[in-house]
């Protein structure tokens, strides 16, 4: 139940390799808690397109407002993988 802040912190630090960050983003919805808005905020700072794609996919179960913000960010991403 308290894993959400830990996962967000690890994503924000960007010290893990991209596959690990993508897995962290994927695990975030299962961690519970209000993670979506923070994830949208981290999206713009994430350098790896595969991790950004995982972040957008993680928003599929989010409330409408952050989900829409993430979708807009994903659609405007310069990389086709996102």
């Amino acid at each position: 139940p308290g894993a959400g802040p830990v996962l967000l912190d690890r994503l924000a630090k960007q010290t893990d390799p991209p596959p690990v960050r993508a897995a962290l983003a994927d695990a975030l919805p299962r961690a519970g808690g209000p993670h979506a808005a923070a994830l949208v905020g981290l999206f713009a700072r994430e350098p790896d397109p595969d991790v950004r794609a995982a972040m957008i996919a993680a928003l599929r179960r989010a409330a409408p407002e952050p989900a829409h913000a993430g979708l807009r960010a994903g659609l405007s991403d310069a990389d086709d993988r996102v």
Side-chain angles (χ1 to χ4, degrees):
V6 174
L7 298 176
L8 284 170
D9 183 58
R10 285 184 64 184
L11 280 168
K13 288 181 181 175
Q14 296 181 356
T15 55
D16 293 300
V20 173
R21 292 197 312 275
L24 292 169
D26 184 58
L28 200 51
R30 294 186 297 281
H35 66 277
L39 195 57
V40 172
L42 291 174
F43 177 87
R45 296 180 22 215
E46 174 55 52
D48 188 271
D50 293 326
V51 178
R52 291 194 307 272
M55 289 174 157
I56 297 303
L59 293 170
R60 67 187 172 276
R61 293 188 186 99
E65 189 172 321
H68 289 149
L71 181 59
R72 284 191 300 274
L75 289 173
S76 66
D77 196 278
D79 196 292
D80 290 341
R81 289 176 283 183
V82 180

